[in-house]
Amino acid sequence: MERLMEKLKEASAYVDAKINHEPVAIAMVLGSGLGDLANEVQQKTIIPYSEIPHFPVSTVQGHAGRLVIGMLSGKRVLVMQGRLHFYEGYSMDTVVFPIQMMRVLGIKELLLTNAAGCVNTAWVPGDLMIISDHIKLVADNPLRGPNPDELGERFFDMGSAYPAELRAVAHASGERLGIPLREGIYQLFTGPSFETPAEVRFARMCGADAVGMSTVPEAIAARHAGMRVLGISCMTNMAAGILDQPLDHLEVLETGERVKHTFGALVKDIVKHWPI
Ligand code: HPA
């Protein structure tokens, strides 16, 4: 565990030096098809993951794999353009290394976004959902193993992982911009296979509104380290078995493309009004 803290500190020190030790207010992870927002960051410093000591490298198509740090809506942000997924072969603790590094860098606010399959049949592709809670029936946990005490406690509350205060900020932004927002529960599946229709029916029975392959490990690591999380899912497709058509990654990217302007406007307004 000492070794993990050493690695996190080395990675963080590298990033910190690159940005001249300017403090960052909010970190964000942009999901599939939603990464373009990073291009709107001003006065930016770009750091490819491959440059950062100990930092894992993203492999999935549609994910750039770099940190973009600079100004967005008057706040200093660090954008993870391209996230790491469990299905790429990384262990869950590797998936959350960047989140823990953000915390070591001093960041306490985290926006997690993702593309998700829509389980709620009253909703449609393109809908944006504020995450109120999550379900992880996947057996693994990113904090399994010796506890990094410097980051947080061994056992920690998850009831406050997605604080109501931040969800209210997101809803206020939605109202201000005339963007209708859903709110609901995100259930993690490992991928890379999409869920089966039976798994989607099961997720619905569990109370899930959306299914996806990310966000949950990051939210757990963030909560562990005392960060506040706001999660936004873009319903890129109806989940398996709802429509009489096969799922494919192209549909995910196409919907991301279709909503990226709305999504970008929403995120910028949220960042502007984010209570620090
Ligand atoms: N399932 C899981 N992850 C996803 C989906 C889906 O249907 N769409 C986008 N990400």
Side-chain angles (χ1 to χ4, degrees):
M1 205 34 56
E2 286 308 304
R3 191 70 196 117
L4 171 62
M5 286 313 301
E6 265 172 45
K7 287 181 178 174
L8 288 168
K9 285 174 187 174
E10 278 174 31
S12 160
Y14 182 88
V15 173
D16 200 29
K18 281 266 176 183
I19 58 173
N20 299 317
H21 313 287
E22 296 258 20
V24 176
I26 305 172
M28 46 183 94
V29 183
L30 301 178
S32 304
L34 305 171
D36 281 7
L37 185 61
N39 302 332
E40 296 197 38
V41 173
Q42 304 293 309
Q43 303 156 41
K44 54 180 173 261
T45 303
I46 295 175
I47 314 176
Y49 297 165
S50 55
E51 263 186 29
I52 307 170
H54 315 296
F55 212 88
V57 177
S58 171
T59 62
V60 73
Q61 220 183 337
H63 289 257
R66 56 195 202 163
L67 297 183
V68 178
I69 302 139
M71 299 302 291
L72 189 72
S73 305
K75 291 198 171 72
R76 185 163 296 280
V77 298
L78 177 150
V79 182
M80 227 185 128
Q81 195 178 22
R83 63 149 52 86
L84 309 160
H85 302 81
F86 185 67
Y87 64 73
E88 290 175 79
Y90 302 117
S91 60
M92 280 214 189
D93 56 332
T94 302
V95 168
V96 303
F97 183 92
I99 307 297
Q100 293 173 324
M101 187 213 70
M102 291 165 185
R103 183 65 194 90
V104 173
L105 195 56
I107 306 172
K108 286 187 141 176
E109 312 289 332
L110 179 63
L111 174 66
L112 297 174
T113 71
N114 60 58
C118 186
V119 171
N120 189 320
T121 53
W123 302 353
V124 293
D127 281 359
L128 299 176
M129 180 188 92
I130 305 303
I131 301 178
S132 59
D133 204 347
H134 75 226
I135 299 172
K136 181 181 76 62
L137 295 182
V138 175
D140 214 337
N141 188 296
L143 275 305
R144 179 171 171 270
N147 184 55
D149 295 326
E150 266 189 73
L151 287 177
E153 311 244 325
R154 167 82 297 183
F155 302 107
F156 54 100
D157 177 60
M158 281 302 292
S160 50
Y162 305 93
E165 185 191 2
L166 294 182
R167 282 183 273 138
V169 168
H171 285 297
S173 291
E175 270 165 40
R176 217 172 358 254
L177 302 178
I179 301 169
L181 294 180
R182 310 292 193 178
E183 180 162 318
I185 295 171
Y186 177 94
Q187 181 162 354
L188 177 72
F189 283 81
T190 64
S193 46
F194 286 117
E195 300 71 32
T196 63
E199 285 164 346
V200 170
R201 287 194 297 274
F202 171 68
R204 190 177 301 117
M205 271 173 51
C206 289
D209 297 288
V211 287
M213 306 176 191
S214 67
T215 303
V216 169
E218 293 139 326
I220 292 172
R223 179 65 194 83
H224 173 256
M227 299 168 88
R228 299 198 299 173
V229 177
L230 175 66
I232 309 176
S233 293
C234 171
M235 304 295 119
T236 52
N237 55 280
M238 294 314 286
I242 296 176
L243 304 178
D244 189 19
Q245 64 185 47
L247 301 192
D248 65 40
H249 189 54
L250 197 61
E251 187 184 2
V252 172
L253 296 179
E254 278 171 0
T255 307
E257 186 68 22
R258 178 160 66 79
V259 304
K260 74 180 183 194
H261 293 294
T262 309
F263 174 82
L266 177 71
V267 169
K268 281 187 279 185
D269 196 70
I270 290 171
V271 168
K272 186 171 169 189
H273 294 93
W274 192 300
I276 306 288

